[in-house]
Amino acid sequence: MKLNINNETGLLKSVVLGMPHSMGPAHTLEESYDAKSYHSLYNNIYPKEEAIVHEMTEFEKVLKKYDVEVFRPHIIENYNQVFARDVAFVIEDKMIISNIIPERYNEQDAYRKIFARVGWKKIINLPDTAHVEGGDVIVWNDFLFVGTCFSEDYRNFKTARTNEYAIEILKEYFPKKRVIDLELKKNDTDPFSGILHLDCTFNPVGTDKCIIYKDGFVDESDYRLLLDIFGEENCFEVTKQEMFEMNPNIFSISPEIVVSDSSFARLNNHLRNEWGMTVEEIPYREISKMGGLLRCSTLPLVRE
């Protein structure tokens, strides 16, 4: 398998889509490892498996409508495998295996056949102390945007998934990329106050545009830098409520086609009416209750 990912929106040819089956029982509050799941458990609205299966089936239908080759991990019994983006990610022609949190480590076993198709020469295994998850890594042509947490309390945050050491390793492997670290606000229990991954507060679309939530960054200068790169007129700003609902975390099939949650009325109308995009709307409300959305559910392998 020849990998090719140079940005977030090139015409998608193949992708891994997470697996909704055999999710097992919901975690307790103490076991939850992201703020949105904590919120859902606390309010007794954590999603049921049948709803997750329905939503991911609708997503797969849209992908296949556009002739995308869809791979799936094999099922691990009683284990949540919805969010493929965190297990691994592709930059150019290399696949980086994430050092994910211990609670999800076994998830990588379900990808062994996919890893085998890629081949070991194209796979990068990071040192154990280099923590990174795919939701924090956004490839955008010459740029590599990486969400991180520089806080002295890094080890105390369950929602801090990417550290400074991983960023330095990525710089070594991709020396021609302009690597930009963006520090994210973290909160383990309040999804209105913290950002799990970079793609929950910032996501490029089209060829020169992005969706962004200003208050997701620790330093406003990071937000300003992104506005400078994309141009303020090319940035769709979401509200705190829209960030909570995960508006930034949509998924591009091409520069002209995106898959979005059908409840994102303001965003979807803007994408269609102002930016001229085709918006494939599907239900993804239940999956959002677990702290991820459409981009989180995917691991793109090849884009033209």
Side-chain angles (χ1 to χ4, degrees), residues 34-174:
D34 69 89
K36 196 71 179 287
S37 293
Y38 186 96
H39 176 274
S40 300
L41 290 163
Y42 184 83
N43 290 284
N44 198 30
I45 56 170
Y46 197 82
K48 305 296 183 184
E49 183 175 311
E50 54 267 28
I52 302 300
V53 171
H54 170 68
E55 291 181 347
M56 297 200 81
T57 299
E58 293 302 303
F59 193 5
E60 185 176 28
K61 287 178 183 177
V62 173
L63 293 168
K64 291 185 173 179
K65 172 183 174 180
Y66 290 96
D67 298 321
V68 177
E69 184 177 18
V70 180
F71 296 93
R72 309 299 290 268
H74 76 252
I75 297 174
I76 301 175
E77 296 297 328
N78 298 316
Y79 209 78
N80 188 327
Q81 297 175 249
V82 170
F83 299 126
R85 181 75 60 160
D86 299 336
V87 176
F89 54 96
V90 176
I91 301 173
E92 297 176 346
D93 64 345
K94 299 291 191 298
M95 177 177 282
I96 296 90
I97 309 301
S98 302
N99 283 331
I100 53 179
I101 58 175
E103 292 89 342
R104 296 183 59 187
Y105 187 77
N106 292 339
E107 205 171 328
Q108 292 180 339
D109 290 339
Y111 290 73
R112 297 303 171 192
K113 290 183 179 179
I114 295 168
F115 295 159
R117 291 189 64 158
V118 171
W120 66 270
K121 290 184 178 180
K122 294 296 184 180
I123 288 179
I124 295 172
N125 289 288
L126 302 173
D128 289 344
T129 53
H131 304 154
V132 63
E133 292 186 351
D136 275 329
V137 180
I138 290 177
V139 187
W140 192 245
N141 306 317
D142 294 335
F143 293 96
L144 195 60
F145 300 108
V146 186
T148 189
C149 175
F150 293 126
S151 171
E152 293 179 359
D153 294 328
Y154 176 92
R155 293 182 180 277
N156 296 325
F157 283 117
K158 292 182 180 180
T159 50
R161 305 294 177 82
T162 298
N163 65 7
E164 190 172 4
Y165 184 32
I167 297 172
E168 294 307 313
I169 297 291
L170 289 174
K171 288 179 180 178
E172 292 178 12
Y173 275 109
F174 303 98

